Amino acid sequence: MSDERTKAIIGDVVEALRGVLRKHEVTFAEYRAGFMHMAKTQEAGELPMLIDVFLNSTVVEIENATRTGSKAAIQGPYFVPDAPFVEGQLAIRDQDMDLPKMLMRGRVTDQSGAPVAGAVIDLWHSTPEGTYSGIPRHGDLDKKYYRGKIKTDADGKYECISILPVPYQIPNKGPTGMLLETYMGWHSWRPAHIHYWIHADGKRDLISQAYFEGGDYVDDDCCEGVGNEFIVPEAYENGMRLMEVDFVLDEASSPKPARVAEPAE
Ligand code: DHB
Ligand code: FE
């Protein structure tokens, strides 16, 4: 049984790739080296990461065309579904207690401006080493650190303190890094950022990120994930970097065009 949508998309992918082969008069040796590199990338467990680096931002761009509230940003590979609920502060390791802090706060509303109370916001960000907790390849730091769920209050407001994240370097020792850095002359850095996943009953989930105005790589993200609307102006409160970010949620029922619908049975 064929699925019409899969058939159409894969047909176009193959046609687009054939166009690239023809345009560059790719030789058999180059073609073979190309797919062997993909095999090596898969063997290193990096295939999802490689594909995300090149294409995740485009899928987000397509999704955003159907949003009228806040725009979504890339999710990245380090969301952990069962992070703990926290009150006002993410867990900070003892050794990091004296590092600069940030205050994340803002308000979640619907499109009429009404507060969305009880929205669950998953927050996650890097350690001071530029890794993520709860990720075996990142040293398996307990997932309670630098990630957690908070809830908006009756006024739709949220507030949470943590330490500042740092720029994150996607692993550059394996086949992905070799492709990006050695063969393509790219760097493999993302600017420091905070991840958000906002869930509220009756609303469309929103996955977002926030970046720090003036931060390294904000203008030069290897994942092309930074949009101006996600850059938070530099401000401080009580000695903490203030990351004030409001979110406007679309209704869950907001129309989605056929191109983002589930494939037909
Ligand atoms: C990657 C890592 C991130 O922290 C992120 O936000 C996006 C992508 C990555 O390793 O590909
Ligand atoms: Fe990230």
Side-chain angles (χ1 to χ4, degrees):
M1 196 185 74
S2 81
D3 166 69
E4 287 311 311
R5 186 165 163 78
T6 304
K7 195 170 149 184
I9 292 171
I10 300 300
D12 281 355
V13 167
V14 171
E15 214 32 64
L17 287 174
R18 285 179 177 152
V20 173
L21 299 181
R22 289 187 194 108
K23 177 176 168 190
H24 296 282
E25 298 178 341
V26 167
T27 65
F28 184 76
E30 288 169 332
Y31 157 72
R32 197 169 170 75
F35 72 67
M36 288 313 286
H37 194 89
M38 296 296 272
K40 230 188 282 167
T41 308
Q42 167 63 10
E43 224 169 273
E46 291 186 354
L47 196 57
M49 182 175 87
L50 179 67
I51 295 172
D52 269 5
V53 168
F54 288 128
L55 301 175
N56 193 349
S57 63
T58 304
V59 176
V60 169
E61 176 191 307
I62 295 163
E63 175 185 339
N64 278 339
T66 69
R67 282 185 180 273
T68 47
S70 297
K71 298 297 182 210
I74 59 175
Q75 180 182 326
Y78 301 125
F79 172 68
V80 170
D82 48 357
F85 271 96
V86 297
E87 286 287 341
Q89 183 171 324
L90 300 185
I92 297 171
R93 289 181 306 193
D94 289 347
Q95 70 203 76
D96 299 334
M97 282 299 172
D98 295 332
L99 293 175
K101 303 270 186 321
M102 65 175 170
L103 171 59
M104 297 168 275
R105 78 160 177 229
R107 194 158 178 254
V108 181
T109 57
D110 67 13
Q111 285 167 299
S112 72
V116 178
V120 175
I121 307 178
D122 260 286
L123 296 167
W124 70 105
H125 68 75
S126 77
T127 67
E129 297 84 52
T131 58
Y132 283 82
S133 68
I135 306 294
R137 280 182 294 121
H138 282 193
D140 221 2
L141 174 65
D142 192 314
K143 68 182 173 201
K144 75 178 181 192
Y145 294 111
Y146 313 122
R147 63 171 82 235
K149 294 182 201 298
I150 55 172
K151 262 189 187 176
T152 56
D153 68 12
D155 206 22
K157 288 184 176 155
Y158 71 91
E159 207 170 280
C160 191
I161 291 169
S162 192
I163 55 165
L164 285 164
V166 298
Y168 166 83
Q169 187 169 30
I170 67 170
N172 69 337
K173 302 283 178 270
T176 304
M178 181 178 273
L179 179 66
L180 294 185
E181 294 188 358
T182 310
Y183 296 138
M184 296 182 68
W186 289 16
H187 67 74
S188 52
W189 288 90
R190 301 214 63 225
H193 56 278
I194 307 163
H195 291 270
Y196 306 81
W197 186 330
I198 305 158
H199 174 85
D201 290 342
K203 303 287 183 273
R204 189 166 169 188
D205 274 28
L206 179 66
I207 294 172
S208 191
Q209 292 197 20
Y211 302 91
F212 299 76
E213 181 188 40
D216 290 341
Y217 304 106
V218 166
D219 298 326
D220 189 20
D221 175 12
C222 71
C223 291
E224 298 177 48
V226 184
N228 283 335
E229 66 271 42
F230 303 123
I231 302 174
V232 181
E234 188 163 0
Y236 294 87
E237 196 173 289
N238 297 329
M240 294 181 282
R241 174 71 161 91
L242 179 62
M243 290 299 278
E244 183 133 26
V245 183
D246 295 338
F247 298 102
V248 180
L249 300 184
D250 282 22
E251 298 304 311
S253 57
S254 57
K256 295 178 197 152
R259 68 171 188 272
V260 295
E262 294 295 314
E265 288 297 315

Short mmCIF file of all heavy atoms in Angstrom, two decimals, residues 49-50 52-53 56 74-78 132 168-171 190 193 195 209 211 223, ligand 1:
data_model
loop_
_atom_site.label_atom_id
_atom_site.label_comp_id
_atom_site.label_asym_id
_atom_site.label_seq_id
_atom_site.Cartn_x
_atom_site.Cartn_y
_atom_site.Cartn_z
N MET A 49 21.49 14.31 14.61
CA MET A 49 22.09 15.62 14.86
C MET A 49 22.47 16.30 13.54
O MET A 49 22.20 17.48 13.33
CB MET A 49 23.33 15.43 15.72
CG MET A 49 24.02 16.71 16.09
SD MET A 49 25.37 16.37 17.21
CE MET A 49 26.68 16.03 16.08
N LEU A 50 23.08 15.53 12.64
CA LEU A 50 23.50 16.11 11.36
C LEU A 50 22.29 16.64 10.58
O LEU A 50 22.31 17.75 10.04
CB LEU A 50 24.24 15.05 10.53
CG LEU A 50 24.69 15.54 9.16
CD1 LEU A 50 25.78 16.59 9.30
CD2 LEU A 50 25.20 14.39 8.31
N ASP A 52 19.41 17.51 11.81
CA ASP A 52 18.88 18.68 12.51
C ASP A 52 19.67 19.95 12.20
O ASP A 52 19.11 21.02 12.02
CB ASP A 52 18.93 18.47 14.04
CG ASP A 52 17.64 17.86 14.57
OD1 ASP A 52 16.76 17.51 13.76
OD2 ASP A 52 17.52 17.71 15.80
N VAL A 53 20.99 19.82 12.16
CA VAL A 53 21.82 21.01 11.90
C VAL A 53 21.42 21.65 10.57
O VAL A 53 21.29 22.87 10.45
CB VAL A 53 23.32 20.64 11.89
CG1 VAL A 53 24.16 21.78 11.35
CG2 VAL A 53 23.79 20.27 13.30
N ASN A 56 16.42 21.27 10.53
CA ASN A 56 15.40 21.53 11.56
C ASN A 56 14.82 22.94 11.43
O ASN A 56 13.60 23.15 11.54
CB ASN A 56 16.01 21.32 12.95
CG ASN A 56 14.97 21.27 14.07
OD1 ASN A 56 13.81 21.59 13.88
ND2 ASN A 56 15.40 20.87 15.24
N ILE A 74 13.69 26.03 17.07
CA ILE A 74 14.09 24.62 17.01
C ILE A 74 14.12 24.00 18.41
O ILE A 74 14.42 24.69 19.39
CB ILE A 74 15.47 24.42 16.30
CG1 ILE A 74 16.59 25.18 17.01
CG2 ILE A 74 15.37 24.83 14.85
CD1 ILE A 74 17.98 24.92 16.43
N GLN A 75 13.82 22.73 18.47
CA GLN A 75 13.78 22.03 19.77
C GLN A 75 15.18 21.60 20.21
O GLN A 75 15.48 21.60 21.40
CB GLN A 75 12.87 20.81 19.68
CG GLN A 75 12.78 20.04 21.00
CD GLN A 75 11.93 18.80 20.90
OE1 GLN A 75 10.94 18.77 20.17
NE2 GLN A 75 12.29 17.77 21.61
N GLY A 76 16.02 21.22 19.27
CA GLY A 76 17.32 20.66 19.64
C GLY A 76 17.16 19.26 20.17
O GLY A 76 16.03 18.81 20.44
N PRO A 77 18.26 18.53 20.32
CA PRO A 77 18.16 17.12 20.68
C PRO A 77 18.12 16.82 22.18
O PRO A 77 18.11 15.66 22.55
CB PRO A 77 19.43 16.53 20.05
CG PRO A 77 20.38 17.66 19.94
CD PRO A 77 19.60 18.93 19.92
N TYR A 78 18.07 17.83 23.06
CA TYR A 78 18.30 17.56 24.47
C TYR A 78 17.12 17.80 25.39
O TYR A 78 17.28 18.02 26.58
CB TYR A 78 19.53 18.33 24.96
CG TYR A 78 20.75 17.96 24.18
CD1 TYR A 78 21.52 18.92 23.54
CD2 TYR A 78 21.09 16.62 24.02
CE1 TYR A 78 22.62 18.56 22.78
CE2 TYR A 78 22.17 16.25 23.25
CZ TYR A 78 22.93 17.22 22.64
OH TYR A 78 24.00 16.85 21.89
N TYR A 132 24.46 19.21 28.43
CA TYR A 132 23.11 19.17 29.02
C TYR A 132 23.03 18.03 30.02
O TYR A 132 23.63 16.96 29.81
CB TYR A 132 22.06 18.98 27.92
CG TYR A 132 21.78 20.24 27.14
CD1 TYR A 132 22.60 20.63 26.09
CD2 TYR A 132 20.70 21.06 27.46
CE1 TYR A 132 22.35 21.79 25.38
CE2 TYR A 132 20.44 22.22 26.75
CZ TYR A 132 21.27 22.58 25.71
OH TYR A 132 21.01 23.74 25.01
N TYR A 168 27.19 26.75 23.18
CA TYR A 168 27.22 25.29 23.12
C TYR A 168 27.88 24.86 21.82
O TYR A 168 27.53 25.38 20.76
CB TYR A 168 25.79 24.76 23.20
CG TYR A 168 25.66 23.30 22.83
CD1 TYR A 168 25.92 22.32 23.76
CD2 TYR A 168 25.31 22.92 21.53
CE1 TYR A 168 25.82 20.99 23.42
CE2 TYR A 168 25.22 21.59 21.18
CZ TYR A 168 25.47 20.63 22.13
OH TYR A 168 25.39 19.31 21.78
N GLN A 169 28.84 23.96 21.92
CA GLN A 169 29.50 23.47 20.70
C GLN A 169 28.96 22.08 20.37
O GLN A 169 29.07 21.17 21.20
CB GLN A 169 31.01 23.41 20.89
CG GLN A 169 31.73 23.06 19.59
CD GLN A 169 33.22 23.25 19.70
OE1 GLN A 169 33.79 23.10 20.77
NE2 GLN A 169 33.84 23.59 18.58
N ILE A 170 28.36 21.94 19.23
CA ILE A 170 27.88 20.61 18.87
C ILE A 170 29.11 19.72 18.69
O ILE A 170 30.17 20.20 18.28
CB ILE A 170 26.94 20.60 17.65
CG1 ILE A 170 27.66 20.96 16.37
CG2 ILE A 170 25.75 21.50 17.85
CD1 ILE A 170 26.81 20.71 15.15
N PRO A 171 29.01 18.43 19.06
CA PRO A 171 30.19 17.57 19.08
C PRO A 171 30.96 17.68 17.77
O PRO A 171 30.40 17.50 16.70
CB PRO A 171 29.59 16.18 19.26
CG PRO A 171 28.27 16.41 19.92
CD PRO A 171 27.78 17.73 19.39
N ARG A 190 26.73 27.08 18.83
CA ARG A 190 25.44 27.74 19.00
C ARG A 190 25.60 28.80 20.09
O ARG A 190 26.32 28.59 21.06
CB ARG A 190 24.37 26.76 19.47
CG ARG A 190 24.12 25.57 18.56
CD ARG A 190 22.66 25.18 18.60
NE ARG A 190 21.85 26.28 18.11
CZ ARG A 190 20.75 26.73 18.66
NH1 ARG A 190 20.27 26.19 19.75
NH2 ARG A 190 20.10 27.76 18.15
N HIS A 193 21.75 29.85 25.09
CA HIS A 193 20.30 29.95 24.90
C HIS A 193 19.56 29.19 25.99
O HIS A 193 20.13 28.32 26.67
CB HIS A 193 19.90 29.39 23.53
CG HIS A 193 20.36 27.99 23.30
ND1 HIS A 193 21.64 27.69 22.90
CD2 HIS A 193 19.74 26.79 23.46
CE1 HIS A 193 21.78 26.38 22.80
NE2 HIS A 193 20.65 25.80 23.15
N HIS A 195 15.97 26.91 26.47
CA HIS A 195 14.89 26.21 25.76
C HIS A 195 13.60 26.28 26.57
O HIS A 195 13.63 26.18 27.80
CB HIS A 195 15.22 24.73 25.60
CG HIS A 195 16.35 24.44 24.67
ND1 HIS A 195 16.17 24.22 23.32
CD2 HIS A 195 17.68 24.33 24.88
CE1 HIS A 195 17.34 23.97 22.75
NE2 HIS A 195 18.28 24.03 23.67
N GLN A 209 12.99 29.20 22.08
CA GLN A 209 14.31 29.42 22.66
C GLN A 209 14.46 30.91 22.90
O GLN A 209 13.78 31.71 22.28
CB GLN A 209 15.43 28.98 21.70
CG GLN A 209 15.51 27.49 21.45
CD GLN A 209 16.84 27.06 20.84
OE1 GLN A 209 17.84 27.76 20.93
NE2 GLN A 209 16.85 25.88 20.24
N TYR A 211 17.67 33.89 23.35
CA TYR A 211 19.10 34.17 23.21
C TYR A 211 19.43 35.49 23.89
O TYR A 211 18.55 36.32 24.11
CB TYR A 211 19.46 34.24 21.72
CG TYR A 211 19.12 32.98 20.97
CD1 TYR A 211 17.88 32.82 20.36
CD2 TYR A 211 20.02 31.92 20.92
CE1 TYR A 211 17.56 31.65 19.70
CE2 TYR A 211 19.71 30.75 20.26
CZ TYR A 211 18.48 30.61 19.65
OH TYR A 211 18.16 29.46 19.01
N CYS A 223 23.35 26.37 13.71
CA CYS A 223 22.06 25.72 13.40
C CYS A 223 21.05 26.69 12.80
O CYS A 223 19.89 26.31 12.57
CB CYS A 223 21.48 25.10 14.67
SG CYS A 223 22.39 23.69 15.29
C1 DHB B 1 21.92 21.11 19.02
C2 DHB B 1 22.11 21.40 20.36
C3 DHB B 1 21.32 22.33 20.99
O1 DHB B 1 21.46 22.66 22.29
C4 DHB B 1 20.33 22.99 20.29
O2 DHB B 1 19.62 23.87 20.95
C5 DHB B 1 20.14 22.71 18.95
C6 DHB B 1 20.94 21.76 18.32
C7 DHB B 1 22.77 20.08 18.36
O3 DHB B 1 23.65 19.53 19.02
O4 DHB B 1 22.53 19.79 17.18
#
